Amino acid sequence: MTTALAALAIGIMAPTPAQADPATPAAYPSASSATRISGSFFDTCTAPSLTALAAWRGRSPYTGVNIYFGGRNRGCAQPNLTAPWVRSATAAGWSLVPTYFGDQPFCVFGSKPYRYAASGAAARGAADGADAVAKARSLGLLPGSALYADVEHYDRAAAGCTTAVRTYVSEWTRALHRAGFLAGIYAHQDSGVRDLAASYLSTTLARPDAIWMARWDNVATTTNWPTAGNTLWAEWQRAKQYRGDHLETWGGVTMNVDSDIIRGPVATVLRPYRVTSSGVLNVRSGPSSAYPVIGTLAPGSVVSLICQARGQTVGTTSVWDRISNGGFVSDRYVSTPSSTTFSAPLQRCSSPGQVTISTPVNTRSGPGTSYAVSGSLQGGALAWVACQKAGTLVGSTRVWNQLVDGRWMSDYYVSNASNTTYSSPVPRCP
């Protein structure tokens, strides 16, 4: 089937290339998953103490906190920011928004000391991306996590400035994708957001997966932005810093913070539970007893979970847990809060891929073009893929993706590992 006919079959017209780069998105390793949230978070220069977080938890409006985890322009010491702190903060219910304050463009406003010239933008973006991955891993942030590069406000009128920023962001994105991470950008509404929105459909630059806009207008919204229309970064891919430095006091603890709202990706971390089976628990390569056994867990042992997937029904549940080695165990034998369904704060396992055409793609109620239309995804948006199943032939593949919200779309229009067959580590749908 030609591309045009395939497009007509799923209800879209005249597709044009929108895939930013052949390497996008990441080739996810088995022990990975994306995590997305919708809610409020705060950012502050130094990662707060666990005592401060405990005072704010449940009293403040925030459920997430930013962490400045690296970069040569990072201005604050981070005595609290360690792997044990990450584990404790997330165990206490905090989502983490990792921010890397790397080199800035030569045309940046302000006095940040480390800057790249236009000629060095590509090398600097790649170097910062590689360093960010290494530092994220050292803190226990897993592949599938979103890492945000801080791009401060800059002078767009300076010759070569916009090109330098776009180049840096593209190479940052590629470096993260090669390692299995999602690439986010923090930027001012009138410089970085404006310029990245204008190059959104570029076929030579790698498109970042998420955008975090700075606009201090006290309007907490991830839509109707003045410099990035709602069709860009449209599918759980946005955050906004809507209020700058100010003091807030909750639970008797005062911090100087910025206020933010997010509907997008954050850090993925391991969460510890216990094996509740009476005998040895088999670890399988997929969410079903039909998959090969790749290991075992002893009764009562601690098991670290990444995410949860739908699979074979065992006892009262069809939920399976992906563990730290990438394998799966039935949730029936793990001490998660629910014995029948998914358990917060664990996320549904997902491997997002960008929609590779510029026009919206219809989603369906099942894996085929004969199923009812159940919505659409904008061109270039992220398809949050939970599992894959055979369905109607579209283009070069019969593979269809079930998204984490239950909708289906043809894999032909999602830029994951394969355009013809199933893509590891995405499991098969039951």
Side-chain angles (χ1 to χ4, degrees):
M1 183 182 291
T2 67
T3 299
L5 290 176
L8 289 172
I10 59 173
I12 55 178
M13 296 297 293
T16 56
Q19 186 174 353
D21 182 86
T24 58
Y28 299 103
S30 59
S32 68
S33 179
T35 298
R36 64 185 198 179
I37 65 168
S38 179
S40 297
F41 72 97
F42 69 92
D43 63 273
T44 188
C45 196
T46 298
S49 68
L50 294 174
T51 301
L53 288 181
W56 278 40
R57 182 67 184 168
R59 298 180 180 92
S60 77
Y62 306 111
T63 58
V65 57
N66 148 277
I67 51 171
Y68 286 101
F69 71 99
R72 295 201 298 178
N73 278 312
R74 182 174 62 171
C76 294
Q78 300 293 340
N80 299 319
L81 190 53
T82 62
W85 182 95
V86 167
R87 290 193 296 269
S88 296
T90 53
W94 291 96
S95 298
L96 304 182
V97 184
T99 310
Y100 185 89
F101 208 154
D103 284 26
Q104 299 296 301
F106 66 90
C107 45
V108 71
F109 294 119
S111 58
K112 294 303 177 186
Y114 296 102
R115 307 185 181 202
Y116 54 84
S119 60
R124 192 70 251 168
D128 279 0
D131 184 57
V133 166
K135 285 183 166 53
R137 288 183 182 277
S138 72
L139 289 173
L141 308 186
L142 300 181
S145 296
L147 311 179
Y148 290 82
D150 188 326
V151 178
E152 292 291 298
H153 194 25
Y154 56 85
D155 183 4
R156 299 180 66 245
C161 183
T162 292
T163 298
V165 170
R166 287 172 173 164
T167 301
Y168 173 93
V169 169
S170 179
E171 293 308 313
W172 158 271
T173 300
R174 288 181 172 128
L176 265 61
H177 285 165
R178 285 193 293 269
F181 288 76
L182 294 177
I185 301 295
Y186 167 91
H188 194 280
Q189 69 155 0
D190 291 324
S191 53
V193 173
R194 184 184 296 274
D195 287 335
L196 293 174
S199 62
Y200 188 81
L201 296 182
S202 169
T203 56
T204 59
L205 298 169
R207 182 192 308 115
D209 303 293
I211 195 81
W212 174 11
M213 181 180 75
R215 188 189 191 199
W216 295 354
D217 59 0
N218 291 323
V219 179
T221 180
T222 56
T223 58
N224 301 321
W225 293 354
T227 55
N230 290 339
T231 60
L232 310 182
W233 296 287
E235 195 71 22
W236 291 79
Q237 295 170 265
R238 289 184 172 216
K240 179 184 177 183
Q241 186 182 86
Y242 61 86
R243 187 181 179 189
D245 291 342
H246 64 282
L247 297 177
E248 289 192 29
T249 302
W250 301 98
V253 174
T254 300
M255 287 192 274
N256 188 313
V257 303
D258 301 324
S259 297
D260 307 80
I261 188 170
I262 187 170
R263 192 172 186 270
V266 294
T268 299
V269 297
L270 294 171
R271 298 181 183 275
Y273 295 91
R274 288 202 173 272
V275 175
T276 61
S277 59
S278 58
V280 170
L281 179 61
N282 286 331
V283 179
R284 300 193 177 262
S285 61
S288 165
S289 60
Y291 286 89
V293 174
I294 60 173
T296 59
L297 297 171
S301 62
V302 174
V303 57
S304 296
L305 307 190
I306 302 171
C307 58
Q308 296 185 310
R310 186 77 68 187
Q312 176 190 12
T313 299
V314 178
T316 59
T317 186
S318 60
V319 173
W320 285 65
D321 302 324
R322 174 173 275 162
I323 69 172
S324 57
N325 69 355
F328 286 86
V329 295
S330 170
D331 190 56
R332 174 178 170 82
Y333 303 112
V334 180
S335 65
T336 54
S338 177
S339 60
T340 58
T341 188
F342 299 107
S343 295
L346 289 162
Q347 289 267 323
R348 183 86 182 265
C349 299
S350 66
S351 301
Q354 292 177 359
V355 176
T356 59
I357 61 173
S358 60
T359 49
V361 179
N362 283 340
T363 56
R364 302 273 178 174
S365 61
T369 54
S370 62
Y371 288 89
V373 173
S374 59
S376 65
L377 263 64
Q378 294 290 336
L382 284 184
W384 298 82
V385 178
C387 60
Q388 296 182 317
K389 189 173 187 176
T392 302
L393 177 67
V394 177
S396 57
T397 186
R398 290 188 178 276
V399 174
W400 281 67
N401 300 315
Q402 187 175 43
L403 309 182
V404 292
D405 61 10
R407 294 180 293 166
W408 294 81
M409 68 178 299
S410 170
D411 189 55
Y412 187 65
Y413 295 104
V414 180
S415 63
N416 47 31
S418 175
N419 201 35
T420 59
T421 188
Y422 299 108
S423 294
S424 177
V426 181
R428 303 294 77 75
C429 301

